[in-house]
């Protein structure tokens, strides 16, 4: 009887590795499989990308190789400092790249970008999506109180021209309303924090905003700085009023501009009611 020939394996396809975890000195490690990314590994073990980068001393989280052992639990005596990556926190930046002049510039995450929507915006802010059912025992979020300033604000760009005002039509079809103001200026113009606060997002994960910074302020205010050519802060940084946080650019825009918003509990407010007269 003729023997059936064994199937020929494509030499370019790496065979799967036999195990995904290897106990080393009593601590769990993950062995990188073909096609895996650090984001996928972080989800598998309920850890954050930032923690995996720190625990493994990775210089570039986008460069891991098949067969590499990745620590997926804190080293002895250490604890996880950041919350796990989930579908709603995928927009987190993956890390800094040094600029030519030694200033840290933070580039976009490699996991892809999401189109703007109320749900995507809520995810960036770490808030429940609009219309979402609160978890049992959790009261729904209160509506924003009356609009009152959260202190003195400064213009995010020195000079420049307001190209488009709050709630003016934007886009080709004219059906979208501007949720902030657009300020035109030269590329590289310093972009500064309008008020003191904490950086809650810095990256390029929200389509239509380019390189984006969002800062959380007291009294549940947030400010938004979009279309930058370079980001000079990272998530978790504390910034002061007037501190340079980015450089004005034209990412995801048809001309150099800063798209600037002031929000409270996620609701857009008219920045012109808060910024001082020029």
């Amino acid at each position: 009887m003729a023997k059936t020939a064994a199937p020929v394996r494509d030499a370019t396809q790496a065979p799967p590795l036999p195990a995904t975890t290897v106990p080393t000195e009593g601590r769990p490690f993950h062995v990188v499989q073909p096609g895996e990314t650090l984001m996928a590994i972080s989800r598998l073990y309920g850890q954050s990308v930032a923690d995996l980068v720190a625990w493994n001393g990775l210089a570039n989280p986008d460069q891991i190789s098949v067969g590499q052992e990745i620590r997926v639990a804190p080293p002895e005596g250490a604890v996880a400092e950041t919350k796990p990556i989930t579908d709603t926190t995928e927009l987190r930046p993956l890390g800094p790249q040094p600029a030519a002049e030694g200033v840290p510039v933070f580039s976009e995450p490699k996991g892809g970008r999401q189109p703007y929507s109320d749900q995507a915006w809520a995810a960036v802010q770490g808030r429940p999506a609009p219309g979402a059912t609160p978890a049992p025992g959790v009261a729904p979020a209160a509506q924003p109180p009356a609009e009152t300033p959260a202190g003195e604000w400064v213009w995010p760009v020195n000079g420049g021209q307001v190209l488009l005002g709050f709630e003016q039509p934007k886009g080709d079809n004219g059906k979208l309303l501007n949720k902030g103001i657009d300020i035109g200026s030269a590329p590289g113009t310093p972009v500064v924090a309008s008020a003191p606060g904490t950086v809650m997002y810095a990256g390029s994960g929200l389509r239509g905003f380019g390189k984006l910074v969002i800062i959380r302020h007291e009294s549940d205010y947030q400010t938004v700085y979009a279309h930058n050519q370079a980001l000079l802060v990272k998530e978790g940084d504390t910034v002061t009023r007037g501190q340079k946080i980015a450089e004005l650019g034209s990412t995801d825009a048809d001309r150099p501009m800063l798209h600037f918003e002031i929000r409270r509990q996620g609701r857009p407010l008219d920045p012109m009611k808060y910024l001082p007269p020029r």
Side-chain angles (χ1 to χ4, degrees):
M1 180 180 294
K3 294 184 178 179
T4 303
V8 178
R9 189 184 66 202
D10 186 349
T12 63
Q13 296 180 352
L17 298 176
T20 57
T21 58
V22 176
T24 304
E25 297 180 356
R27 308 301 299 176
F29 279 70
H30 176 90
V31 177
V32 178
Q33 304 292 298
E36 283 188 325
T37 63
L38 202 64
M39 177 77 73
I41 295 171
S42 71
R43 288 176 172 171
L44 181 62
Y45 292 93
Q47 306 291 4
S48 74
V49 170
D51 280 333
L52 296 187
V53 168
W55 297 339
N56 292 276
L58 300 177
N60 187 342
D62 298 317
Q63 293 181 354
I64 58 176
S65 56
V66 174
Q68 180 178 352
E69 293 183 1
I70 300 294
R71 181 183 289 276
V72 292
E76 193 68 32
V79 295
E81 297 293 340
T82 53
K83 60 185 179 181
I85 288 290
T86 66
D87 287 340
T88 59
T89 55
E90 187 174 358
L91 303 181
R92 295 169 60 92
L94 294 185
Q97 296 178 351
E101 299 180 359
V103 178
V105 177
F106 294 82
S107 63
E108 66 181 83
K110 303 299 182 183
R113 297 187 299 162
Q114 297 185 18
Y116 176 85
S117 65
D118 289 341
Q119 290 76 16
W121 185 263
V124 170
Q125 299 179 94
R127 295 180 176 276
T133 303
V138 177
Q143 292 298 315
E147 297 178 14
T148 55
E152 294 184 3
W153 305 79
V154 299
W155 281 82
V157 173
N158 185 19
Q161 176 186 2
V162 176
L163 306 174
L164 192 65
F166 181 69
E167 290 191 338
Q168 290 185 346
K170 65 183 303 183
D172 296 334
N173 56 19
K175 294 181 180 180
L176 298 177
L177 298 181
N178 200 17
K179 297 179 183 296
I181 59 175
D182 296 343
I183 307 170
S185 192
T189 298
V191 175
V192 304
S194 187
T198 303
V199 177
M200 62 189 298
Y201 179 76
S204 305
L206 199 59
R207 194 180 306 156
F209 285 78
K211 293 185 177 180
L212 169 69
V213 175
I214 304 176
I215 299 176
R216 178 188 292 114
H217 309 282
E218 64 178 10
S219 302
D220 215 10
Y221 283 88
Q222 304 95 33
T223 48
V224 177
Y225 312 78
H227 304 310
N228 304 286
Q229 71 176 15
L231 306 182
L232 307 179
V233 292
K234 65 182 183 300
E235 184 175 336
D237 284 353
T238 299
V239 297
T240 59
R241 181 184 291 107
Q243 177 179 333
K244 184 178 178 181
I245 59 172
E247 294 177 356
L248 187 142
S250 57
T251 54
D252 272 3
D254 57 4
R255 61 179 296 179
M257 69 170 72
L258 175 73
H259 175 74
F260 175 70
E261 298 181 12
I262 296 179
R263 296 192 177 215
R264 193 172 195 188
Q265 294 187 3
R267 184 165 65 94
L269 308 174
D270 185 356
M272 301 301 289
K273 295 181 179 179
Y274 294 83
L275 297 173
R278 286 182 164 180

